[in-house]
Coordinates of all heavy atoms in Angstrom, one line a residue:
M1 N -10.0 -6.5 23.5 CA -8.6 -6.3 23.5 C -8.3 -5.2 22.5 O -8.7 -5.2 21.4 CB -7.9 -7.6 23.2 CG -6.4 -7.4 23.2 SD -5.7 -9.1 23.0 CE -4.0 -8.7 23.1
S2 N -7.5 -4.2 22.9 CA -7.1 -3.1 22.1 C -5.8 -3.4 21.2 O -5.0 -4.2 21.6 CB -6.8 -1.9 23.0 OG -6.3 -0.8 22.2
N3 N -5.7 -2.8 20.1 CA -4.5 -2.9 19.3 C -3.5 -1.9 19.6 O -2.5 -1.7 19.0 CB -4.9 -2.7 17.8 CG -5.5 -4.0 17.2 OD1 -5.4 -5.0 17.8 ND2 -6.2 -3.8 16.1
L4 N -3.7 -1.1 20.7 CA -2.8 -0.1 21.1 C -2.2 -0.6 22.5 O -2.9 -1.1 23.3 CB -3.5 1.2 21.3 CG -4.0 1.9 20.1 CD1 -4.6 3.2 20.4 CD2 -2.9 2.2 19.1
S5 N -0.9 -0.3 22.6 CA -0.3 -0.5 23.9 C 0.4 0.8 24.3 O 0.7 1.7 23.4 CB 0.7 -1.6 23.9 OG 1.8 -1.3 23.0
V6 N 0.7 1.1 25.5 CA 1.4 2.3 26.0 C 2.7 1.9 26.6 O 2.8 1.1 27.5 CB 0.5 3.1 27.0 CG1 1.2 4.3 27.4 CG2 -0.8 3.4 26.3
V7 N 3.8 2.5 26.0 CA 5.1 2.3 26.5 C 5.7 3.7 26.7 O 5.7 4.5 25.8 CB 6.0 1.5 25.4 CG1 7.4 1.4 25.9 CG2 5.4 0.2 25.1
S8 N 6.1 4.0 27.9 CA 6.6 5.3 28.2 C 5.7 6.4 27.8 O 6.1 7.4 27.3 CB 8.0 5.5 27.6 OG 8.9 4.5 28.0
D9 N 4.4 6.2 28.0 CA 3.3 7.2 27.7 C 3.2 7.5 26.2 O 2.7 8.5 25.9 CB 3.6 8.5 28.5 CG 3.4 8.3 30.0 OD1 2.6 7.4 30.4 OD2 4.1 9.0 30.8
V10 N 3.8 6.7 25.4 CA 3.7 6.9 23.9 C 2.9 5.7 23.4 O 3.3 4.6 23.5 CB 5.1 6.9 23.3 CG1 5.0 7.0 21.8 CG2 6.0 8.0 23.8
P11 N 1.7 6.0 22.8 CA 0.9 4.9 22.3 C 1.6 4.3 21.0 O 2.1 5.1 20.2 CB -0.4 5.6 21.9 CG -0.1 7.1 21.8 CD 1.1 7.3 22.7
T12 N 1.6 3.0 20.9 CA 2.1 2.3 19.8 C 1.1 1.3 19.3 O 0.3 0.8 20.1 CB 3.4 1.6 20.1 OG1 3.2 0.7 21.2 CG2 4.5 2.6 20.5
V13 N 1.1 1.0 18.0 CA 0.2 0.0 17.5 C 0.9 -1.3 17.5 O 2.1 -1.4 17.1 CB -0.2 0.4 16.0 CG1 -1.0 -0.7 15.4 CG2 -0.9 1.7 16.0
V14 N 0.3 -2.3 18.0 CA 0.8 -3.7 18.1 C 0.5 -4.3 16.8 O -0.7 -4.5 16.4 CB 0.2 -4.5 19.3 CG1 0.8 -5.9 19.3 CG2 0.5 -3.8 20.6
V15 N 1.5 -4.8 16.0 CA 1.4 -5.4 14.7 C 1.8 -6.9 14.8 O 2.8 -7.2 15.3 CB 2.2 -4.7 13.7 CG1 2.1 -5.4 12.3 CG2 1.9 -3.2 13.6
P16 N 0.9 -7.8 14.3 CA 1.3 -9.2 14.4 C 2.6 -9.5 13.6 O 2.8 -8.9 12.5 CB 0.1 -9.9 13.7 CG -1.0 -8.9 13.7 CD -0.4 -7.6 13.7
E17 N 3.4 -10.4 14.1 CA 4.6 -10.7 13.3 C 4.3 -11.4 12.0 O 5.2 -11.5 11.2 CB 5.5 -11.6 14.2 CG 6.1 -10.9 15.4 CD 7.1 -11.8 16.1 OE1 7.7 -12.7 15.6 OE2 7.2 -11.5 17.3
S18 N 3.1 -11.9 11.8 CA 2.7 -12.6 10.6 C 2.4 -11.6 9.4 O 2.1 -12.1 8.3 CB 1.5 -13.5 10.8 OG 0.4 -12.7 11.2
V19 N 2.5 -10.3 9.6 CA 2.3 -9.4 8.5 C 3.3 -9.6 7.4 O 4.5 -9.6 7.7 CB 2.3 -7.9 9.0 CG1 2.2 -6.9 7.8 CG2 1.2 -7.7 10.0
R20 N 2.9 -9.8 6.2 CA 3.8 -10.0 5.1 C 3.4 -9.0 3.9 O 2.3 -8.7 3.8 CB 3.7 -11.4 4.5 CG 3.7 -12.5 5.6 CD 5.0 -13.0 6.1 NE 5.8 -13.6 5.0 CZ 7.0 -13.9 5.2 NH1 7.6 -13.6 6.4 NH2 7.8 -14.4 4.3
F21 N 4.4 -8.7 3.1 CA 4.2 -7.8 2.0 C 4.7 -8.5 0.7 O 5.8 -9.1 0.7 CB 5.0 -6.5 2.2 CG 4.6 -5.7 3.4 CD1 5.2 -5.8 4.6 CD2 3.5 -4.8 3.3 CE1 4.8 -5.1 5.7 CE2 3.1 -4.0 4.4 CZ 3.7 -4.2 5.6
R22 N 3.9 -8.3 -0.3 CA 4.3 -8.9 -1.6 C 5.3 -7.9 -2.2 O 5.1 -6.7 -2.2 CB 3.1 -9.0 -2.5 CG 2.2 -10.1 -2.1 CD 1.1 -10.3 -3.2 NE 0.0 -11.1 -2.6 CZ -1.2 -10.8 -2.8 NH1 -1.6 -9.8 -3.5 NH2 -2.1 -11.5 -2.2
A23 N 6.3 -8.5 -2.8 CA 7.4 -7.6 -3.5 C 7.9 -8.4 -4.7 O 7.7 -9.6 -4.9 CB 8.5 -7.3 -2.5
A24 N 8.6 -7.6 -5.5 CA 9.3 -8.2 -6.7 C 10.6 -7.6 -6.9 O 10.8 -6.4 -6.5 CB 8.4 -8.0 -7.9
C25 N 11.5 -8.4 -7.5 CA 12.9 -7.9 -7.7 C 13.0 -7.4 -9.2 O 12.7 -8.2 -10.1 CB 13.9 -9.0 -7.4 SG 15.6 -8.5 -7.8
P26 N 13.4 -6.2 -9.4 CA 13.6 -5.7 -10.8 C 14.8 -6.4 -11.5 O 14.8 -6.4 -12.7 CB 13.8 -4.2 -10.7 CG 14.3 -4.0 -9.3 CD 13.7 -5.1 -8.5
D27 N 15.7 -6.9 -10.8 CA 16.9 -7.5 -11.4 C 16.6 -9.0 -11.9 O 16.8 -9.3 -13.0 CB 18.1 -7.6 -10.4 CG 18.6 -6.2 -10.1 OD1 18.2 -5.2 -10.8 OD2 19.4 -6.1 -9.2
C28 N 16.1 -9.8 -11.0 CA 15.9 -11.2 -11.4 C 14.4 -11.5 -11.7 O 14.1 -12.6 -12.1 CB 16.5 -12.2 -10.3 SG 15.5 -12.2 -8.8
R29 N 13.6 -10.6 -11.4 CA 12.1 -10.7 -11.7 C 11.4 -11.7 -10.8 O 10.3 -12.1 -11.0 CB 11.8 -10.9 -13.1 CG 12.4 -9.9 -14.1 CD 11.7 -10.0 -15.4 NE 12.3 -9.1 -16.4 CZ 11.9 -7.8 -16.5 NH1 10.9 -7.3 -15.8 NH2 12.4 -7.0 -17.4
A30 N 12.0 -12.1 -9.7 CA 11.4 -13.0 -8.8 C 10.3 -12.3 -8.0 O 10.4 -11.1 -7.8 CB 12.4 -13.5 -7.8
R31 N 9.3 -13.0 -7.6 CA 8.2 -12.5 -6.8 C 8.1 -13.3 -5.5 O 8.3 -14.5 -5.5 CB 6.8 -12.6 -7.6 CG 6.8 -11.7 -8.8 CD 5.4 -11.8 -9.4 NE 5.3 -10.9 -10.6 CZ 5.1 -9.6 -10.5 NH1 4.9 -9.0 -9.4 NH2 5.0 -8.9 -11.6
F32 N 7.9 -12.5 -4.4 CA 8.0 -13.2 -3.1 C 7.2 -12.4 -2.1 O 6.7 -11.3 -2.4 CB 9.5 -13.3 -2.7 CG 10.3 -12.2 -3.1 CD1 10.3 -11.0 -2.2 CD2 11.0 -12.1 -4.2 CE1 11.1 -9.9 -2.6 CE2 11.8 -11.0 -4.6 CZ 11.8 -9.9 -3.8
E33 N 7.2 -12.9 -0.9 CA 6.6 -12.1 0.3 C 7.7 -11.9 1.3 O 8.6 -12.7 1.5 CB 5.5 -12.9 0.9 CG 4.2 -13.0 0.0 CD 3.1 -13.7 0.7 OE1 3.2 -14.2 1.9 OE2 2.0 -13.7 0.2
L34 N 7.7 -10.7 1.9 CA 8.6 -10.3 2.9 C 8.0 -9.9 4.2 O 6.9 -9.3 4.2 CB 9.4 -9.1 2.4 CG 10.3 -9.3 1.2 CD1 10.8 -7.9 0.7 CD2 11.5 -10.2 1.5
A35 N 8.6 -10.3 5.3 CA 8.1 -9.8 6.6 C 8.4 -8.4 6.8 O 9.4 -7.8 6.1 CB 8.8 -10.7 7.7
A36 N 7.7 -7.7 7.6 CA 8.0 -6.3 7.9 C 9.4 -6.0 8.3 O 10.0 -5.0 7.9 CB 7.0 -5.7 8.9
A37 N 10.0 -6.9 9.0 CA 11.4 -6.7 9.5 C 12.4 -6.7 8.3 O 13.5 -6.3 8.5 CB 11.7 -7.8 10.5
A38 N 12.0 -7.2 7.2 CA 12.9 -7.3 6.0 C 12.9 -6.1 5.2 O 13.7 -6.0 4.2 CB 12.6 -8.5 5.2
I39 N 12.1 -5.1 5.5 CA 11.9 -3.9 4.7 C 12.2 -2.7 5.5 O 11.9 -2.6 6.7 CB 10.4 -3.8 4.2 CG1 10.0 -5.1 3.4 CG2 10.2 -2.6 3.4 CD1 8.5 -5.1 3.2
R40 N 12.8 -1.7 4.9 CA 13.1 -0.4 5.5 C 12.4 0.7 4.7 O 12.4 0.7 3.5 CB 14.6 -0.1 5.6 CG 15.4 -1.1 6.3 CD 15.1 -1.0 7.8 NE 15.7 -2.0 8.6 CZ 15.2 -3.2 8.9 NH1 14.0 -3.5 8.5 NH2 15.8 -4.1 9.6
L41 N 11.8 1.6 5.4 CA 11.1 2.8 4.8 C 11.9 4.0 5.1 O 12.1 4.3 6.3 CB 9.7 2.8 5.3 CG 8.8 4.0 4.8 CD1 8.7 4.1 3.3 CD2 7.5 4.0 5.5
A42 N 12.2 4.8 4.2 CA 12.9 6.1 4.4 C 11.9 7.2 3.9 O 11.5 7.2 2.7 CB 14.2 6.2 3.6
I43 N 11.6 8.1 4.7 CA 10.7 9.2 4.4 C 11.5 10.5 4.2 O 12.1 11.0 5.2 CB 9.6 9.4 5.4 CG1 8.8 8.1 5.5 CG2 8.7 10.6 5.1 CD1 7.7 8.2 6.5
G44 N 11.5 11.0 3.0 CA 12.3 12.2 2.7 C 11.4 13.4 2.7 O 10.2 13.4 3.0
A45 N 12.0 14.5 2.3 CA 11.3 15.8 2.2 C 10.3 15.9 1.1 O 9.3 16.6 1.2 CB 12.3 17.0 2.1
T46 N 10.5 15.1 0.1 CA 9.5 15.1 -1.1 C 9.2 13.6 -1.4 O 9.8 12.7 -0.9 CB 10.2 15.7 -2.3 OG1 11.2 14.9 -2.8 CG2 10.7 17.1 -2.0
S47 N 8.2 13.5 -2.3 CA 7.9 12.1 -2.8 C 9.0 11.5 -3.5 O 9.1 10.2 -3.5 CB 6.6 12.2 -3.6 OG 6.8 13.0 -4.7
R48 N 9.8 12.2 -4.1 CA 11.0 11.7 -4.9 C 12.1 11.1 -4.0 O 12.9 10.4 -4.4 CB 11.6 12.7 -5.8 CG 10.6 13.1 -6.9 CD 11.2 14.0 -7.9 NE 12.3 13.4 -8.6 CZ 13.0 14.0 -9.5 NH1 12.8 15.2 -9.9 NH2 14.0 13.3 -10.0
T49 N 12.1 11.6 -2.7 CA 13.1 11.1 -1.8 C 12.5 10.2 -0.7 O 13.1 10.0 0.3 CB 13.8 12.3 -1.1 OG1 12.9 13.1 -0.5 CG2 14.6 13.1 -2.2
T50 N 11.3 9.7 -0.9 CA 10.7 8.8 0.0 C 10.7 7.4 -0.7 O 10.2 7.3 -1.8 CB 9.2 9.2 0.3 OG1 9.3 10.5 1.0 CG2 8.5 8.2 1.2
F51 N 11.2 6.4 -0.1 CA 11.4 5.1 -0.7 C 11.4 4.0 0.3 O 11.6 4.2 1.5 CB 12.7 5.1 -1.5 CG 13.9 5.3 -0.7 CD1 14.6 4.2 -0.1 CD2 14.4 6.6 -0.5 CE1 15.8 4.4 0.6 CE2 15.6 6.8 0.3 CZ 16.2 5.7 0.8
Y52 N 11.3 2.8 -0.1 CA 11.4 1.6 0.7 C 12.5 0.7 0.1 O 12.7 0.8 -1.1 CB 10.1 0.9 0.9 CG 9.5 0.3 -0.3 CD1 9.6 -1.1 -0.6 CD2 8.7 1.0 -1.1 CE1 9.0 -1.7 -1.7 CE2 8.1 0.5 -2.2 CZ 8.3 -0.9 -2.5 OH 7.6 -1.4 -3.6
S53 N 13.2 -0.1 0.9 CA 14.2 -0.9 0.4 C 14.2 -2.3 1.1 O 13.7 -2.4 2.2 CB 15.6 -0.2 0.6 OG 15.8 0.0 1.9
F54 N 14.8 -3.2 0.4 CA 14.9 -4.6 0.9 C 16.0 -5.3 0.0 O 16.4 -4.8 -1.0 CB 13.6 -5.3 0.8 CG 13.0 -5.4 -0.6 CD1 13.3 -6.5 -1.4 CD2 12.1 -4.4 -1.0 CE1 12.7 -6.5 -2.7 CE2 11.5 -4.5 -2.3 CZ 11.9 -5.6 -3.1
T55 N 16.4 -6.5 0.5 CA 17.3 -7.3 -0.2 C 16.5 -8.5 -0.8 O 15.7 -9.1 -0.1 CB 18.4 -7.9 0.7 OG1 19.1 -6.7 1.2 CG2 19.4 -8.8 0.0
C56 N 16.7 -8.7 -2.1 CA 16.0 -9.8 -2.8 C 16.4 -11.1 -2.2 O 17.7 -11.4 -2.2 CB 16.3 -9.7 -4.3 SG 15.5 -11.2 -5.2
P57 N 15.5 -11.9 -1.8 CA 15.9 -13.2 -1.2 C 16.4 -14.2 -2.2 O 17.0 -15.2 -1.9 CB 14.6 -13.7 -0.5 CG 13.5 -13.0 -1.2 CD 14.1 -11.7 -1.6
E58 N 16.1 -14.0 -3.5 CA 16.5 -14.9 -4.6 C 17.9 -14.6 -5.1 O 18.7 -15.5 -5.3 CB 15.5 -14.8 -5.8 CG 14.1 -15.2 -5.4 CD 14.0 -16.7 -5.1 OE1 14.7 -17.5 -5.7 OE2 13.2 -17.1 -4.2
C59 N 18.2 -13.3 -5.4 CA 19.5 -12.9 -6.0 C 20.4 -12.0 -5.1 O 21.5 -11.6 -5.5 CB 19.3 -12.3 -7.4 SG 18.6 -10.6 -7.3
D60 N 19.9 -11.7 -3.9 CA 20.6 -10.8 -3.0 C 20.9 -9.4 -3.5 O 21.7 -8.7 -2.9 CB 22.0 -11.4 -2.6 CG 21.8 -12.6 -1.6 OD1 20.8 -12.6 -0.9 OD2 22.6 -13.5 -1.6
A61 N 20.1 -9.0 -4.5 CA 20.2 -7.6 -5.0 C 19.6 -6.6 -3.9 O 18.6 -6.9 -3.3 CB 19.5 -7.4 -6.3
A62 N 20.2 -5.5 -3.8 CA 19.7 -4.4 -3.0 C 18.6 -3.7 -3.8 O 19.0 -3.2 -4.9 CB 20.8 -3.4 -2.5
V63 N 17.4 -3.7 -3.4 CA 16.3 -3.1 -4.1 C 15.8 -1.9 -3.4 O 15.6 -1.9 -2.2 CB 15.1 -4.1 -4.3 CG1 14.0 -3.5 -5.1 CG2 15.6 -5.4 -5.0
R64 N 15.6 -0.8 -4.2 CA 15.1 0.5 -3.7 C 14.0 0.9 -4.6 O 14.2 1.0 -5.8 CB 16.2 1.5 -3.6 CG 15.8 2.8 -3.1 CD 17.0 3.7 -2.9 NE 16.7 5.1 -2.9 CZ 17.5 6.0 -2.6 NH1 18.7 5.8 -2.2 NH2 17.1 7.3 -2.6
K65 N 12.8 1.2 -4.0 CA 11.6 1.7 -4.8 C 11.0 2.9 -4.2 O 10.9 3.0 -3.0 CB 10.6 0.5 -4.9 CG 11.1 -0.7 -5.7 CD 10.0 -1.7 -5.9 CE 10.5 -2.9 -6.7 NZ 9.4 -3.8 -7.0
I66 N 10.5 3.8 -5.1 CA 9.8 5.0 -4.6 C 8.5 4.6 -3.9 O 7.9 3.6 -4.3 CB 9.5 5.9 -5.8 CG1 10.7 6.4 -6.5 CG2 8.6 7.1 -5.4 CD1 11.6 7.3 -5.7
A67 N 8.2 5.2 -2.8 CA 7.0 4.9 -2.0 C 6.1 6.1 -2.0 O 6.4 7.2 -1.5 CB 7.4 4.6 -0.6
G68 N 5.0 6.0 -2.6 CA 3.9 7.0 -2.6 C 3.2 7.0 -1.3 O 3.5 6.2 -0.4
E69 N 2.2 7.9 -1.1 CA 1.5 8.0 0.1 C 0.8 6.7 0.6 O 0.9 6.4 1.8 CB 0.5 9.1 0.0 CG 1.1 10.5 0.0 CD 0.0 11.6 -0.1 OE1 -1.1 11.4 0.4 OE2 0.2 12.7 -0.7
R70 N 0.2 6.0 -0.3 CA -0.5 4.8 0.0 C 0.5 3.7 0.5 O 0.2 3.0 1.5 CB -1.3 4.3 -1.1 CG -2.1 3.1 -0.8 CD -3.2 3.3 0.2 NE -4.0 2.1 0.4 CZ -4.4 1.6 1.5 NH1 -4.2 2.3 2.6 NH2 -5.0 0.5 1.6
I71 N 1.6 3.6 -0.2 CA 2.6 2.6 0.2 C 3.2 2.9 1.6 O 3.4 2.1 2.4 CB 3.8 2.5 -0.9 CG1 3.2 2.1 -2.2 CG2 4.9 1.7 -0.4 CD1 2.7 0.7 -2.2
V72 N 3.5 4.2 1.8 CA 4.0 4.6 3.1 C 2.9 4.3 4.2 O 3.3 3.7 5.2 CB 4.2 6.2 3.2 CG1 4.5 6.6 4.6 CG2 5.4 6.5 2.3
E73 N 1.7 4.5 4.0 CA 0.6 4.2 4.9 C 0.6 2.7 5.2 O 0.5 2.2 6.3 CB -0.7 4.6 4.4 CG -1.9 4.3 5.3 CD -3.2 4.8 4.8 OE1 -3.2 5.5 3.7 OE2 -4.2 4.4 5.3
L74 N 0.6 1.9 4.1 CA 0.6 0.4 4.3 C 1.8 -0.1 5.0 O 1.7 -1.0 5.9 CB 0.5 -0.3 2.9 CG -0.9 -0.1 2.2 CD1 -0.8 -0.6 0.8 CD2 -2.0 -0.8 2.9
L75 N 3.0 0.4 4.7 CA 4.2 -0.1 5.3 C 4.2 0.3 6.8 O 4.6 -0.5 7.7 CB 5.4 0.4 4.6 CG 5.6 -0.2 3.2 CD1 6.8 0.5 2.5 CD2 5.7 -1.7 3.2
T76 N 3.9 1.5 7.1 CA 3.9 1.9 8.5 C 2.9 1.2 9.3 O 3.2 0.8 10.5 CB 3.8 3.5 8.7 OG1 2.6 3.9 8.0 CG2 5.0 4.2 8.1
D77 N 1.7 1.1 8.8 CA 0.6 0.3 9.5 C 1.0 -1.1 9.7 O 0.6 -1.8 10.7 CB -0.7 0.4 8.7 CG -1.4 1.7 8.8 OD1 -0.9 2.6 9.6 OD2 -2.4 2.0 8.1
G78 N 1.9 -1.7 8.8 CA 2.3 -3.1 8.9 C 3.5 -3.3 9.8 O 4.0 -4.4 9.8
G79 N 4.0 -2.2 10.4 CA 5.1 -2.4 11.3 C 6.5 -2.3 10.7 O 7.5 -2.6 11.3
V80 N 6.7 -1.8 9.5 CA 8.0 -1.6 8.8 C 8.7 -0.4 9.6 O 8.1 0.6 9.8 CB 7.8 -1.3 7.3 CG1 9.2 -0.9 6.7 CG2 7.2 -2.5 6.6
R81 N 10.0 -0.7 9.9 CA 10.8 0.3 10.5 C 11.0 1.5 9.6 O 11.2 1.4 8.4 CB 12.1 -0.2 10.9 CG 12.0 -1.1 12.2 CD 13.4 -1.3 12.8 NE 14.0 -2.4 12.2 CZ 15.2 -2.8 12.4 NH1 16.0 -2.2 13.3 NH2 15.7 -3.9 11.8
T82 N 10.9 2.7 10.1 CA 10.9 3.9 9.3 C 12.0 4.9 9.8 O 12.2 5.1 11.0 CB 9.5 4.7 9.5 OG1 8.5 3.8 9.1 CG2 9.5 5.9 8.6
L83 N 12.7 5.4 8.8 CA 13.7 6.4 9.0 C 13.3 7.7 8.4 O 12.9 7.8 7.2 CB 15.0 6.0 8.4 CG 16.2 6.9 8.3 CD1 16.7 7.2 9.8 CD2 17.3 6.4 7.5
R84 N 13.3 8.8 9.1 CA 12.9 10.1 8.6 C 14.2 10.8 8.1 O 15.1 11.0 8.9 CB 12.2 11.0 9.6 CG 10.9 10.3 10.0 CD 9.8 11.3 10.4 NE 8.6 10.7 10.7 CZ 7.6 10.5 9.9 NH1 7.7 10.9 8.6 NH2 6.5 9.9 10.2
L85 N 14.3 11.2 6.9 CA 15.5 11.8 6.3 C 15.5 13.3 6.4 O 16.4 13.9 6.0 CB 15.6 11.3 4.8 CG 15.7 9.8 4.6 CD1 15.7 9.6 3.1 CD2 16.9 9.3 5.2
H86 N 14.4 13.9 6.9 CA 14.3 15.3 7.0 C 13.6 15.7 8.3 O 13.0 14.9 9.0 CB 13.6 15.9 5.9 CG 12.1 15.6 5.9 ND1 11.2 16.4 6.4 CD2 11.4 14.5 5.5 CE1 10.0 15.9 6.4 NE2 10.1 14.7 5.8
T87 N 13.8 16.9 8.7 CA 13.1 17.4 9.9 C 12.0 18.4 9.4 O 12.3 19.1 8.4 CB 14.0 18.1 10.9 OG1 14.7 19.1 10.2 CG2 15.0 17.1 11.5
G88 N 10.9 18.4 10.0 CA 9.8 19.3 9.6 C 10.0 20.7 10.1 O 9.5 21.1 11.1
R89 N 10.8 21.5 9.3 CA 11.1 22.9 9.7 C 10.1 23.8 9.2 O 9.5 23.8 8.2 CB 12.5 23.3 9.2 CG 13.6 22.6 10.0 CD 14.9 23.1 9.5 NE 15.9 22.4 10.1 CZ 17.2 22.6 9.9 NH1 17.6 23.6 9.1 NH2 18.1 21.9 10.5

């Protein structure tokens, strides 16, 4: 069985819903696991404008953290929804 499926001739990676990511809140210092659906990844033109965000399940704080290349790879491979903030001109 392949981990790839084809929808409208565009190959996509099928990711299990059980994928979880460890995270921590800088406000309340809670540590927890989040499903991919609870995280958003924004890819900017530079490493300083590439980040991921989520809401802390303990204190409801909006958390935003810089995402380096490895974090971007892990999040995208894990099925986190991605927003591109720039176009490759």
Side-chain angles (χ1 to χ4, degrees):
M1 182 174 182
S2 172
N3 284 340
L4 294 178
S5 66
V6 178
V7 178
S8 302
D9 296 328
V10 177
T12 57
V13 176
V14 178
V15 178
E17 290 184 29
S18 61
V19 173
R20 314 275 299 166
F21 296 93
R22 289 188 199 136
C25 177
D27 290 351
C28 72
R29 300 195 185 275
R31 294 185 178 277
F32 40 82
E33 289 187 355
L34 296 171
I39 304 170
R40 298 293 171 267
L41 173 63
I43 299 178
T46 68
S47 60
R48 293 183 64 178
T49 58
T50 298
F51 61 91
Y52 63 100
S53 61
F54 58 88
T55 300
C56 175
E58 298 291 325
C59 71
D60 287 329
V63 178
R64 178 174 159 167
K65 295 185 176 186
I66 296 294
E69 288 181 31
R70 181 69 177 139
I71 297 296
V72 169
E73 180 182 350
L74 290 170
L75 294 176
T76 54
D77 287 352
V80 171
R81 284 196 273 174
T82 303
L83 172 66
R84 298 213 178 262
L85 300 176
H86 70 96
T87 57
R89 290 184 185 182

